[in-house]
Amino acid sequence: MSEAVAFMHETNAPMRLAVNGASGFPILTPLWHIWIEGSLWAAAKPSSAIVRALRRDPRCAFDISIETPPYKGVRGRGHTKIETNGVPLLQRLLDRYMGTEAPDFQAGLLHASKDECAICIEPTQLTSWDFSKRMGS
């Protein structure tokens, strides 16, 4: 588990979050993420398909991986909770993924996101892989 947590802290690759759609087909969405005290967190609009699906069924699966050699990643399953005040989380995600880049874009995004939801994923299964040794990093 510690390797998986370290990877999630070090890697800024977006998470791919899979949920059960109302039609019976899965919904897959890339989201920025951050690991905080044993849970994965992401942000989305309350009207988004991913949030609507999670309100119906809180089960999910996720993948965070690097798509260039040497391949590394984390995947898992979990249960979610939706919190209504996601703006502070969105600020943390902007800091993590954008830093000081595009301050006007960040300010506009925050201004337009007053109703942002926070998605908390409590993992029930977590698996990691690292092909660095096999690929000669």
Side-chain angles (χ1 to χ4, degrees):
M1 176 99 147
S2 62
E3 287 179 17
V5 171
F7 176 81
M8 287 185 284
H9 279 298
E10 296 165 3
T11 303
N12 281 352
M15 164 178 63
R16 287 171 287 281
L17 183 61
V19 301
N20 298 307
S23 67
F25 284 94
I27 298 170
L28 184 65
T29 301
L31 295 169
W32 288 346
H33 66 88
I34 189 167
W35 180 264
I36 304 171
E37 298 177 8
S39 297
L40 267 172
W41 289 83
K45 289 281 191 198
S47 59
S48 67
I50 201 86
V51 170
R52 289 192 322 266
L54 288 170
R55 288 191 192 282
R56 280 190 309 274
D57 184 346
R59 296 174 298 163
C60 70
F62 56 88
D63 171 271
I64 303 163
S65 56
I66 299 172
E67 297 178 359
T68 56
Y71 303 113
K72 300 178 187 183
V74 172
R75 69 177 154 255
R77 291 190 286 209
H79 292 92
T80 61
K81 291 186 277 187
I82 306 294
E83 296 184 6
T84 55
N85 184 12
V87 176
L89 176 66
L90 181 58
Q91 181 64 65
R92 287 184 75 173
L93 291 167
L94 284 167
D95 292 344
R96 173 178 163 88
Y97 282 87
M98 297 195 75
T100 59
E101 292 180 36
D104 292 339
F105 169 75
Q106 290 189 46
L109 185 60
L110 285 169
H111 179 72
S113 299
K114 299 297 182 203
D115 63 343
E116 199 82 5
C117 287
I119 302 169
C120 175
I121 303 167
E122 296 175 352
T124 57
Q125 179 185 22
L126 203 57
T127 304
S128 64
W129 69 94
D130 182 348
F131 294 138
S132 296
K133 291 178 184 170
R134 286 176 47 186
M135 298 180 84
S137 58

